[in-house]
Amino acid sequence: MSVPATSTSVASTPAATPFLPKLARIVAAEQFTPKEKWFRVVPHDGRPLAHPPMSFVQVSVFGVGEAPISVCSSPTREQAFELCVRAVGSVTNAMHQLGVGDTLGIRGPFGNGFDPSAHKGKDFLFVAGGLGLAPARSLIQYVLDRRQDYGKVTILVGARTPGDLLFQGDIQEWVSRPDVQTLVTVDRPAEGWKGNVGVITTLFKKIKINPAATLAVIIGPPIMFKYAVLEALSCGIPENRCICSLERRMKCGLGWCGHCQIRGTYVCKEGPVFTYEQVKRLREGI
Ligand SMILES: Cc1cc2nc3c(=O)[nH]c(=O)nc-3n(C[C@H](O)[C@H](O)[C@H](O)COP(=O)(O)OP(=O)(O)OC[C@H]3O[C@@H](n4cnc5c(N)ncnc54)[C@H](O)[C@@H]3O)c2cc1C
Ligand code: FES
């Protein structure tokens, strides 16, 4: 089975003026860690973002600039959408200064995203390391909101330390659900941590999957991705059912400027979601 990860059919219709940001108001915010902050955002025009899971928006902080950020909530929860931002530079640090009531600019949604409706009945194995849980969460929420449409759901989450774990409220909820298997691990435990210790690949020996029915969604830092894909492949999941999300420097988000190009592939438009089979052919992809 091949996964139509690059289908553009799941992306919503672009706005008439795709370079003009829509205004959106921050209605909730939480500092998850010193580096990562979560925001819930509502467009001023009240229209849902209508994004496919694992797509992204170009977020602007006025007077500072624009940055691509994954929508970390599912389109099934459409009254608002959510972002989780790691402060690394000018735009992301400026976003960390914002809070409830502040206004952002939003362009998009952009990217192919992932169309879960094309995979009804399948099992899902999510392997999310660090900030990779942000794009993965949009699809996890979608699958859990349509739980009856999918088979077995397994979620593996890894972080460097317990304090680095993002979306801790969600993780607790997933762990308590009988219809989902959720395992969490940290590289370095802190006092009081009673969970798994070790890199995320060590969790594979604790799960049982049916490779013939499973889609593996693997998102995290490049080193994690490399070893997690090897584990998924060794479980028998084929390359065209290992799904990942690529990050590249972006400007337009529309396939026009070429900033995100890898050997003729426009990550902003043809991606960011690719199968491992596709990524393998893009040298420098990961
Ligand atoms: C499709 C996509 C989805 C993303 N989703 C998220 C998300 O959900 N949350 C999040 O926090 N970040 C996400 N990012 C990364 C985010 O876009 C960058 O961290 C952001 O653009 C940095 O902007 P800045 O102005 O704060 O940093 P700058 O001032 O531009 O740069 C600061 C430093 O970060 C480096 N940098 C900038 N952009 C990137 C990049 N794209 N990849 C690697 N290094 C970069 C620069 O080289 C520099 O060292 C995503 C990127 C892409 C392409
Ligand atoms: S960001 Fe401009 S072509 Fe991809």
Side-chain angles (χ1 to χ4, degrees), residues 35-36 54-58 64-72 83-94 131 134-135 245-250 267-268 272:
K35 277 280 175 201
E36 278 104 4
M54 292 172 65
S55 57
F56 67 97
V57 283
Q58 287 281 15
V64 182
E66 210 179 31
I69 302 292
S70 306
V71 181
C72 66
L83 308 168
C84 180
V85 178
R86 174 174 291 168
V88 298
S90 49
V91 174
T92 49
N93 273 300
L131 190 58
S245 179
L246 293 190
E247 274 198 20
R248 276 296 174 278
R249 276 189 165 277
M250 292 185 183
V267 175
C268 68

Side-chain angles (χ1 to χ4, degrees), residues 56 58 248-261 265-269:
F56 67 97
Q58 287 281 15
R248 276 296 174 278
R249 276 189 165 277
M250 292 185 183
K251 287 281 180 209
C252 67
L254 289 157
W256 293 0
C257 72
H259 268 80
C260 65
Q261 227 191 127
T265 297
Y266 288 76
V267 175
C268 68
K269 204 167 174 191

Side-chain angles (χ1 to χ4, degrees), residues 9-72:
S9 60
V10 290
S12 68
T13 313
T17 48
F19 290 110
L20 189 66
K22 284 198 332 184
L23 298 182
R25 197 165 67 92
I26 298 170
V27 295
E30 187 184 336
Q31 194 75 47
F32 277 169
T33 73
K35 277 280 175 201
E36 278 104 4
K37 190 165 180 177
W38 165 89
F39 300 92
R40 179 174 288 136
V41 178
V42 177
H44 279 193
D45 66 11
R47 292 174 60 187
L49 191 62
H51 62 290
M54 292 172 65
S55 57
F56 67 97
V57 283
Q58 287 281 15
V59 181
S60 41
V61 179
F62 299 111
V64 182
E66 210 179 31
I69 302 292
S70 306
V71 181
C72 66

Side-chain angles (χ1 to χ4, degrees), residues 12-175:
S12 68
T13 313
T17 48
F19 290 110
L20 189 66
K22 284 198 332 184
L23 298 182
R25 197 165 67 92
I26 298 170
V27 295
E30 187 184 336
Q31 194 75 47
F32 277 169
T33 73
K35 277 280 175 201
E36 278 104 4
K37 190 165 180 177
W38 165 89
F39 300 92
R40 179 174 288 136
V41 178
V42 177
H44 279 193
D45 66 11
R47 292 174 60 187
L49 191 62
H51 62 290
M54 292 172 65
S55 57
F56 67 97
V57 283
Q58 287 281 15
V59 181
S60 41
V61 179
F62 299 111
V64 182
E66 210 179 31
I69 302 292
S70 306
V71 181
C72 66
S73 56
S74 164
T76 48
R77 307 177 184 196
E78 63 180 11
Q79 300 83 354
F81 64 93
E82 298 175 17
L83 308 168
C84 180
V85 178
R86 174 174 291 168
V88 298
S90 49
V91 174
T92 49
N93 273 300
M95 282 187 77
H96 272 238
Q97 303 308 311
L98 303 179
V100 174
D102 287 328
T103 298
L104 290 169
I106 300 288
R107 292 195 299 119
F110 294 133
N112 57 352
F114 180 87
D115 181 7
S117 67
H119 302 285
K120 285 189 178 169
K122 290 281 178 281
D123 294 353
F124 275 92
L125 167 63
F126 293 96
V127 186
L131 190 58
L133 188 53
R137 178 180 180 253
S138 64
L139 183 56
I140 293 171
Q141 281 188 343
Y142 185 103
V143 168
L144 297 184
D145 287 351
R146 305 255 192 283
R147 189 65 191 89
Q148 68 287 356
D149 289 345
Y150 299 97
K152 189 173 174 184
V153 177
T154 307
I155 305 172
L156 308 183
V157 179
R160 276 170 304 177
T161 69
D164 291 316
L165 278 167
L166 305 175
F167 302 107
Q168 294 192 14
D170 293 65
I171 293 172
Q172 271 171 23
E173 185 205 317
W174 302 336
V175 167

